[in-house]
Amino acid sequence: MAAADTMTLESFRSETRAWLEANCPQEMRRPFLSEEDACWAGRKWVFRSQAQRDWLERMAERGWTAPEWPQEYGGGALSREQAKILRQEMARLGCRPPLSSFGIWMLGPALLKYGSEEQRREHLLPITHGEIRWCQGYSEPNAGSDLASLQTRAEDRGDHFLVNGQKIWTSYADEADWIFCLVRTDVASKHTGISFLVFDMQTPGVSTKPITLISGKSPFCETFFDNVRVPKSGLVGVLNQGWDVAKYLLTHEREMLGALGEDASAQRVGQFACRNLGIGNGVLADPLLRSQIATLDVDAISFKAAMERAGDLTKARQANPALSSVLKYYGAELNKRRYELLMAAGGSDALEWHGERSRDGAMARAWLRSKGNSIEGGTSEIQLNIIAKRILALPNS
Ligand SMILES: Cc1cc2nc3c(=O)[nH]c(=O)nc-3n(C[C@H](O)[C@H](O)[C@H](O)COP(=O)(O)OP(=O)(O)OC[C@H]3O[C@@H](n4cnc5c(N)ncnc54)[C@H](O)[C@@H]3O)c2cc1C
């Protein structure tokens, strides 16, 4: 990198640091203790505090809820290097992400690549400002790993599609404002008969039914479509070629899920274990757990480096498209390991399910929730199949 570029980046770093220090409320500098601390925003959202609202509004105003998106769509137009600096400076100060959003993590990149200009203008700005919350209607009762078997039908009725069918495991469908959805528009062909639609969850005929998870929470739903009229303007990309959009979006979903592993910092696990199990000779008293936490730390640091490298390869258009499966697989496993260690460090107290001390069993519930990491966004077995075929080029058995 040229010296002038390095200087520019250094001044970007100091400006960013000063801005974050001035604008990130103290309350937003504490780590997430449970899923409830995330800000999903959207029409139905009730802000948990004024600080949560201020933080979202300030970051959105600056384009930093989607730092690398173009400015005209509400992004920050940062280069990859600048976005990395922003992440580093946020981490240094302990800033929470201002917005958790399937719109930013999944739909936005797909609209930037496949959407029409009208669709980008209609949807991207409300996404970056947290005005509209999205959910993902991919899985069906008989179409999970074999997603292309999906049966939800969209019939062409002239100026609109008539959608009938059922989705399942739709995360936060009952809290979302809009859905991006895979539908069958041609029954003659499996993969080339699928289209990608977006529509408002308030459209007549859309209903949701929450499903309770092992954690006792209900983060997802069955979603039903009963004669739902979707305007033709909701078709993203080309009719019957939605599979291309779906696959592209999935690579972003897998990267997002893989990033859970980046969060597998052993520091918090170590501190928690020391508090609970005590210190002997300046180190954690339990040698077995100490060694497991050290291994997690080394693996998490290596994974972070692998994520950075993957980002650089993607930018240079040299990344194998299946790389997202590597990141998803490993990130999910790391995050699950982190929660296993937190539970081990917490002893029987960590199993507390109700009560103020445990914030109603926040850790036990998060531990159980982490089990879903190796299922959502494509199971670990499916990721291993993809890696075997597309990266290792192993023959079909
Ligand atoms: C927490 C969570 C959130 C989710 N959120 C959403 C969402 O928002 N939107 C959405 O559309 N979906 C969502 N899903 C659904 C998720 O994408 C599916 O559960 C997943 O793709 C697996 O599909 P399935 O449940 O039908 O399992 P199946 O496909 O029936 O698989 C069952 C088992 O068989 C194995 N298996 C299947 N095929 C193969 C094969 N070829 N080789 C080896 N093993 C195989 C699988 O690995 C798995 O262990 C979510 C799931 C979870 C757990």
Short mmCIF file of all heavy atoms in Angstrom, two decimals, residues 102 106 135-147 167-172 213 219-220 253 369 371-382 385, ligand 1:
data_model
loop_
_atom_site.label_atom_id
_atom_site.label_comp_id
_atom_site.label_asym_id
_atom_site.label_seq_id
_atom_site.Cartn_x
_atom_site.Cartn_y
_atom_site.Cartn_z
N PHE A 102 -31.67 -8.78 8.70
CA PHE A 102 -31.57 -9.69 7.54
C PHE A 102 -31.54 -8.87 6.25
O PHE A 102 -31.08 -9.34 5.22
CB PHE A 102 -32.76 -10.66 7.50
CG PHE A 102 -32.79 -11.62 8.67
CD1 PHE A 102 -33.98 -12.20 9.09
CD2 PHE A 102 -31.62 -11.98 9.33
CE1 PHE A 102 -34.01 -13.09 10.15
CE2 PHE A 102 -31.63 -12.87 10.40
CZ PHE A 102 -32.84 -13.43 10.81
N MET A 106 -28.49 -10.06 4.27
CA MET A 106 -28.86 -11.00 3.20
C MET A 106 -29.51 -10.33 1.98
O MET A 106 -29.02 -10.43 0.87
CB MET A 106 -29.85 -12.04 3.75
CG MET A 106 -29.27 -12.93 4.81
SD MET A 106 -30.37 -14.35 5.07
CE MET A 106 -30.91 -14.06 6.71
N CYS A 135 -37.86 -10.77 6.80
CA CYS A 135 -37.66 -12.17 7.15
C CYS A 135 -37.45 -12.97 5.86
O CYS A 135 -37.68 -12.47 4.76
CB CYS A 135 -38.82 -12.72 7.98
SG CYS A 135 -40.41 -12.73 7.16
N GLN A 136 -37.00 -14.21 6.05
CA GLN A 136 -36.57 -15.03 4.91
C GLN A 136 -37.50 -16.24 4.75
O GLN A 136 -37.52 -17.12 5.61
CB GLN A 136 -35.15 -15.53 5.18
CG GLN A 136 -34.60 -16.48 4.14
CD GLN A 136 -33.28 -17.11 4.60
OE1 GLN A 136 -33.11 -17.37 5.79
NE2 GLN A 136 -32.38 -17.37 3.68
N GLY A 137 -38.21 -16.28 3.64
CA GLY A 137 -39.13 -17.40 3.39
C GLY A 137 -38.54 -18.38 2.40
O GLY A 137 -38.91 -18.38 1.22
N TYR A 138 -37.61 -19.19 2.85
CA TYR A 138 -36.99 -20.21 2.00
C TYR A 138 -37.56 -21.60 2.34
O TYR A 138 -38.20 -22.25 1.53
CB TYR A 138 -35.47 -20.24 2.22
CG TYR A 138 -34.65 -19.29 1.36
CD1 TYR A 138 -35.15 -18.08 0.94
CD2 TYR A 138 -33.34 -19.61 1.01
CE1 TYR A 138 -34.38 -17.20 0.18
CE2 TYR A 138 -32.55 -18.75 0.25
CZ TYR A 138 -33.07 -17.54 -0.16
OH TYR A 138 -32.30 -16.70 -0.91
N SER A 139 -37.30 -22.07 3.60
CA SER A 139 -37.60 -23.46 3.96
C SER A 139 -39.10 -23.75 3.96
O SER A 139 -39.92 -22.89 4.30
CB SER A 139 -37.07 -23.76 5.36
OG SER A 139 -35.72 -23.44 5.46
N GLU A 140 -39.41 -24.99 3.58
CA GLU A 140 -40.79 -25.48 3.64
C GLU A 140 -40.78 -26.83 4.36
O GLU A 140 -39.71 -27.43 4.51
CB GLU A 140 -41.35 -25.64 2.23
CG GLU A 140 -41.45 -24.31 1.50
CD GLU A 140 -42.08 -24.42 0.11
OE1 GLU A 140 -42.53 -25.53 -0.27
OE2 GLU A 140 -42.11 -23.40 -0.58
N PRO A 141 -41.95 -27.33 4.77
CA PRO A 141 -41.97 -28.60 5.50
C PRO A 141 -41.24 -29.72 4.75
O PRO A 141 -40.62 -30.59 5.36
CB PRO A 141 -43.46 -28.89 5.65
CG PRO A 141 -44.09 -27.53 5.67
CD PRO A 141 -43.27 -26.69 4.74
N ASN A 142 -41.28 -29.73 3.42
CA ASN A 142 -40.57 -30.78 2.68
C ASN A 142 -39.45 -30.23 1.81
O ASN A 142 -39.08 -30.82 0.80
CB ASN A 142 -41.56 -31.58 1.82
CG ASN A 142 -42.50 -32.37 2.69
OD1 ASN A 142 -42.06 -33.07 3.62
ND2 ASN A 142 -43.79 -32.21 2.46
N ALA A 143 -38.94 -29.09 2.17
CA ALA A 143 -37.84 -28.51 1.40
C ALA A 143 -36.94 -27.73 2.34
O ALA A 143 -37.18 -26.55 2.63
CB ALA A 143 -38.37 -27.59 0.30
N GLY A 144 -35.93 -28.42 2.90
CA GLY A 144 -34.96 -27.77 3.79
C GLY A 144 -33.60 -27.86 3.12
O GLY A 144 -33.23 -27.00 2.31
N SER A 145 -32.88 -28.95 3.41
CA SER A 145 -31.59 -29.15 2.73
C SER A 145 -31.80 -29.23 1.22
O SER A 145 -31.01 -28.69 0.44
CB SER A 145 -30.93 -30.44 3.23
OG SER A 145 -30.71 -30.36 4.61
N ASP A 146 -32.87 -29.91 0.82
CA ASP A 146 -33.19 -29.99 -0.61
C ASP A 146 -34.16 -28.85 -0.94
O ASP A 146 -35.32 -29.06 -1.28
CB ASP A 146 -33.82 -31.36 -0.90
CG ASP A 146 -34.08 -31.54 -2.38
OD1 ASP A 146 -33.56 -30.74 -3.19
OD2 ASP A 146 -34.84 -32.47 -2.73
N LEU A 147 -33.64 -27.64 -0.86
CA LEU A 147 -34.47 -26.43 -0.94
C LEU A 147 -35.21 -26.32 -2.27
O LEU A 147 -36.35 -25.84 -2.33
CB LEU A 147 -33.56 -25.20 -0.72
CG LEU A 147 -34.21 -23.84 -0.67
CD1 LEU A 147 -35.25 -23.76 0.43
CD2 LEU A 147 -33.14 -22.76 -0.44
N LYS A 167 -44.43 -21.83 4.36
CA LYS A 167 -43.01 -21.82 4.73
C LYS A 167 -42.89 -22.27 6.18
O LYS A 167 -43.87 -22.25 6.93
CB LYS A 167 -42.43 -20.41 4.56
CG LYS A 167 -42.47 -19.89 3.13
CD LYS A 167 -41.47 -20.61 2.27
CE LYS A 167 -41.60 -20.30 0.79
NZ LYS A 167 -40.63 -21.04 -0.02
N ILE A 168 -41.68 -22.64 6.57
CA ILE A 168 -41.49 -23.04 7.97
C ILE A 168 -40.12 -22.55 8.45
O ILE A 168 -39.25 -22.25 7.63
CB ILE A 168 -41.64 -24.57 8.13
CG1 ILE A 168 -41.80 -24.94 9.63
CG2 ILE A 168 -40.49 -25.34 7.49
CD1 ILE A 168 -42.31 -26.35 9.87
N TRP A 169 -39.96 -22.47 9.76
CA TRP A 169 -38.74 -21.99 10.41
C TRP A 169 -38.42 -20.55 9.97
O TRP A 169 -37.25 -20.18 9.88
CB TRP A 169 -37.51 -22.86 10.11
CG TRP A 169 -37.72 -24.34 10.10
CD1 TRP A 169 -37.43 -25.19 9.07
CD2 TRP A 169 -38.22 -25.16 11.17
NE1 TRP A 169 -37.74 -26.48 9.42
CE2 TRP A 169 -38.22 -26.49 10.71
CE3 TRP A 169 -38.68 -24.91 12.46
CZ2 TRP A 169 -38.65 -27.56 11.48
CZ3 TRP A 169 -39.12 -25.97 13.23
CH2 TRP A 169 -39.10 -27.26 12.75
N THR A 170 -39.43 -19.75 9.66
CA THR A 170 -39.19 -18.39 9.18
C THR A 170 -38.83 -17.53 10.41
O THR A 170 -39.72 -17.14 11.18
CB THR A 170 -40.45 -17.80 8.51
OG1 THR A 170 -41.13 -18.85 7.83
CG2 THR A 170 -40.09 -16.68 7.57
N SER A 171 -37.54 -17.22 10.57
CA SER A 171 -37.10 -16.48 11.75
C SER A 171 -37.81 -15.13 11.83
O SER A 171 -37.80 -14.36 10.86
CB SER A 171 -35.59 -16.25 11.72
OG SER A 171 -34.92 -17.48 11.84
N TYR A 172 -38.40 -14.87 13.01
CA TYR A 172 -39.04 -13.59 13.33
C TYR A 172 -40.13 -13.18 12.32
O TYR A 172 -40.38 -11.98 12.14
CB TYR A 172 -37.99 -12.47 13.43
CG TYR A 172 -36.85 -12.80 14.34
CD1 TYR A 172 -35.55 -12.92 13.87
CD2 TYR A 172 -37.06 -13.00 15.71
CE1 TYR A 172 -34.48 -13.26 14.72
CE2 TYR A 172 -36.01 -13.33 16.55
CZ TYR A 172 -34.73 -13.45 16.05
OH TYR A 172 -33.70 -13.76 16.89
N LEU A 213 -38.97 -22.97 20.57
CA LEU A 213 -37.67 -23.66 20.45
C LEU A 213 -37.29 -24.29 21.79
O LEU A 213 -37.88 -23.97 22.81
CB LEU A 213 -36.65 -22.59 20.04
CG LEU A 213 -35.35 -23.00 19.40
CD1 LEU A 213 -35.59 -23.64 18.04
CD2 LEU A 213 -34.47 -21.76 19.18
N PRO A 219 -38.27 -17.99 18.32
CA PRO A 219 -37.66 -17.07 17.35
C PRO A 219 -38.13 -17.30 15.92
O PRO A 219 -37.76 -16.55 15.03
CB PRO A 219 -36.17 -17.39 17.47
CG PRO A 219 -36.14 -18.84 17.84
CD PRO A 219 -37.40 -19.12 18.60
N PHE A 220 -38.90 -18.34 15.69
CA PHE A 220 -39.36 -18.54 14.30
C PHE A 220 -40.78 -19.06 14.22
O PHE A 220 -41.39 -19.42 15.23
CB PHE A 220 -38.40 -19.37 13.47
CG PHE A 220 -37.87 -20.62 14.10
CD1 PHE A 220 -38.65 -21.40 14.93
CD2 PHE A 220 -36.57 -21.05 13.82
CE1 PHE A 220 -38.16 -22.57 15.47
CE2 PHE A 220 -36.07 -22.22 14.37
CZ PHE A 220 -36.87 -22.97 15.20
N GLU A 253 -25.74 -15.22 3.68
CA GLU A 253 -26.29 -15.73 4.94
C GLU A 253 -25.22 -16.58 5.64
O GLU A 253 -25.03 -16.48 6.85
CB GLU A 253 -27.53 -16.58 4.68
CG GLU A 253 -28.10 -17.14 5.97
CD GLU A 253 -29.38 -17.95 5.79
OE1 GLU A 253 -29.71 -18.32 4.65
OE2 GLU A 253 -30.03 -18.22 6.81
N ARG A 369 -29.87 -22.15 22.26
CA ARG A 369 -30.07 -21.52 20.95
C ARG A 369 -28.90 -21.80 20.01
O ARG A 369 -29.07 -21.98 18.81
CB ARG A 369 -30.28 -20.01 21.13
CG ARG A 369 -30.27 -19.19 19.86
CD ARG A 369 -31.44 -19.55 18.95
NE ARG A 369 -31.42 -18.83 17.69
CZ ARG A 369 -30.68 -19.18 16.63
NH1 ARG A 369 -29.90 -20.27 16.68
NH2 ARG A 369 -30.74 -18.47 15.52
N LYS A 371 -27.30 -24.36 19.56
CA LYS A 371 -27.41 -25.67 18.91
C LYS A 371 -27.95 -25.53 17.48
O LYS A 371 -27.67 -26.34 16.61
CB LYS A 371 -28.31 -26.63 19.70
CG LYS A 371 -27.89 -26.85 21.13
CD LYS A 371 -26.64 -27.69 21.19
CE LYS A 371 -26.10 -27.79 22.59
NZ LYS A 371 -24.70 -28.14 22.64
N GLY A 372 -28.79 -24.50 17.30
CA GLY A 372 -29.37 -24.30 15.97
C GLY A 372 -28.37 -23.77 14.95
O GLY A 372 -28.64 -23.78 13.74
N ASN A 373 -27.20 -23.31 15.41
CA ASN A 373 -26.22 -22.70 14.48
C ASN A 373 -25.79 -23.68 13.39
O ASN A 373 -25.50 -23.28 12.27
CB ASN A 373 -24.96 -22.23 15.22
CG ASN A 373 -25.20 -21.10 16.20
OD1 ASN A 373 -24.44 -20.89 17.11
ND2 ASN A 373 -26.30 -20.36 16.01
N SER A 374 -25.72 -24.97 13.76
CA SER A 374 -25.27 -25.92 12.73
C SER A 374 -26.43 -26.47 11.91
O SER A 374 -26.26 -27.42 11.15
CB SER A 374 -24.46 -27.05 13.38
OG SER A 374 -25.10 -27.51 14.54
N ILE A 375 -27.62 -25.86 12.06
CA ILE A 375 -28.78 -26.25 11.22
C ILE A 375 -29.16 -25.07 10.31
O ILE A 375 -29.32 -25.23 9.09
CB ILE A 375 -30.00 -26.63 12.10
CG1 ILE A 375 -29.64 -27.77 13.05
CG2 ILE A 375 -31.19 -27.00 11.21
CD1 ILE A 375 -30.74 -28.11 14.05
N GLU A 376 -29.30 -23.87 10.91
CA GLU A 376 -29.79 -22.71 10.13
C GLU A 376 -28.82 -22.35 9.01
O GLU A 376 -27.62 -22.57 9.12
CB GLU A 376 -30.00 -21.51 11.05
CG GLU A 376 -28.77 -21.06 11.78
CD GLU A 376 -29.07 -20.21 13.01
OE1 GLU A 376 -29.82 -19.24 12.88
OE2 GLU A 376 -28.55 -20.51 14.09
N GLY A 377 -29.40 -21.84 7.92
CA GLY A 377 -28.56 -21.43 6.79
C GLY A 377 -27.92 -22.59 6.06
O GLY A 377 -26.97 -22.43 5.29
N GLY A 378 -28.44 -23.81 6.29
CA GLY A 378 -27.85 -25.02 5.69
C GLY A 378 -27.06 -25.76 6.76
O GLY A 378 -26.20 -25.17 7.41
N THR A 379 -27.36 -27.04 6.92
CA THR A 379 -26.76 -27.79 8.04
C THR A 379 -25.26 -28.01 7.84
O THR A 379 -24.74 -27.88 6.72
CB THR A 379 -27.44 -29.17 8.20
OG1 THR A 379 -27.10 -29.96 7.05
CG2 THR A 379 -28.94 -29.06 8.33
N SER A 380 -24.60 -28.39 8.93
CA SER A 380 -23.16 -28.66 8.85
C SER A 380 -22.88 -29.78 7.85
O SER A 380 -21.90 -29.75 7.11
CB SER A 380 -22.61 -29.03 10.23
OG SER A 380 -22.43 -27.85 10.98
N GLU A 381 -23.75 -30.81 7.83
CA GLU A 381 -23.52 -31.92 6.89
C GLU A 381 -23.56 -31.41 5.44
O GLU A 381 -22.74 -31.80 4.61
CB GLU A 381 -24.61 -33.01 7.07
CG GLU A 381 -24.51 -33.80 8.36
CD GLU A 381 -25.08 -33.03 9.57
OE1 GLU A 381 -25.80 -32.03 9.36
OE2 GLU A 381 -24.78 -33.42 10.71
N ILE A 382 -24.50 -30.51 5.18
CA ILE A 382 -24.61 -29.97 3.81
C ILE A 382 -23.38 -29.13 3.48
O ILE A 382 -22.85 -29.20 2.36
CB ILE A 382 -25.93 -29.15 3.68
CG1 ILE A 382 -27.14 -30.08 3.81
CG2 ILE A 382 -25.97 -28.38 2.36
CD1 ILE A 382 -27.25 -31.18 2.78
N ASN A 385 -20.65 -31.43 2.60
CA ASN A 385 -20.84 -31.97 1.23
C ASN A 385 -20.35 -30.96 0.19
O ASN A 385 -19.66 -31.32 -0.77
CB ASN A 385 -22.34 -32.22 0.96
CG ASN A 385 -22.84 -33.50 1.60
OD1 ASN A 385 -22.04 -34.30 2.09
ND2 ASN A 385 -24.14 -33.69 1.60
C1 LIG B 1 -32.51 -21.32 14.37
C2 LIG B 1 -33.00 -21.55 12.96
C3 LIG B 1 -33.42 -20.47 12.20
C4 LIG B 1 -33.88 -20.68 10.89
N1 LIG B 1 -34.33 -19.59 10.18
C5 LIG B 1 -34.82 -19.77 8.93
C6 LIG B 1 -35.38 -18.67 8.20
O1 LIG B 1 -35.41 -17.52 8.68
N2 LIG B 1 -35.89 -18.89 6.98
C7 LIG B 1 -35.87 -20.12 6.40
O2 LIG B 1 -36.32 -20.24 5.27
N3 LIG B 1 -35.36 -21.19 7.07
C8 LIG B 1 -34.85 -21.05 8.31
N4 LIG B 1 -34.34 -22.12 9.01
C9 LIG B 1 -34.44 -23.46 8.40
C10 LIG B 1 -33.10 -24.06 7.99
O3 LIG B 1 -32.60 -23.44 6.84
C11 LIG B 1 -33.36 -25.57 7.76
O4 LIG B 1 -33.73 -26.12 9.01
C12 LIG B 1 -32.15 -26.27 7.22
O5 LIG B 1 -31.88 -25.88 5.90
C13 LIG B 1 -32.32 -27.80 7.26
O6 LIG B 1 -33.50 -28.21 6.67
P1 LIG B 1 -34.52 -29.19 7.43
O7 LIG B 1 -34.78 -28.63 8.79
O8 LIG B 1 -35.68 -29.43 6.53
O9 LIG B 1 -33.71 -30.55 7.66
P2 LIG B 1 -33.50 -31.72 6.59
O10 LIG B 1 -33.09 -31.15 5.28
O11 LIG B 1 -34.71 -32.60 6.63
O12 LIG B 1 -32.26 -32.48 7.23
C14 LIG B 1 -32.40 -33.40 8.33
C15 LIG B 1 -31.03 -34.00 8.61
O13 LIG B 1 -30.56 -34.72 7.47
C16 LIG B 1 -29.27 -34.26 7.06
N5 LIG B 1 -29.19 -34.26 5.59
C17 LIG B 1 -30.13 -33.87 4.72
N6 LIG B 1 -29.68 -34.01 3.45
C18 LIG B 1 -28.43 -34.50 3.53
C19 LIG B 1 -27.42 -34.85 2.58
N7 LIG B 1 -27.64 -34.70 1.27
N8 LIG B 1 -26.23 -35.30 3.04
C20 LIG B 1 -25.98 -35.43 4.37
N9 LIG B 1 -26.91 -35.12 5.34
C21 LIG B 1 -28.09 -34.65 4.92
C22 LIG B 1 -29.21 -32.81 7.58
O14 LIG B 1 -27.86 -32.42 7.76
C23 LIG B 1 -29.96 -32.93 8.90
O15 LIG B 1 -29.10 -33.40 9.90
C24 LIG B 1 -33.89 -21.97 10.32
C25 LIG B 1 -33.45 -23.06 11.09
C26 LIG B 1 -33.01 -22.85 12.39
C27 LIG B 1 -32.54 -24.03 13.19
#
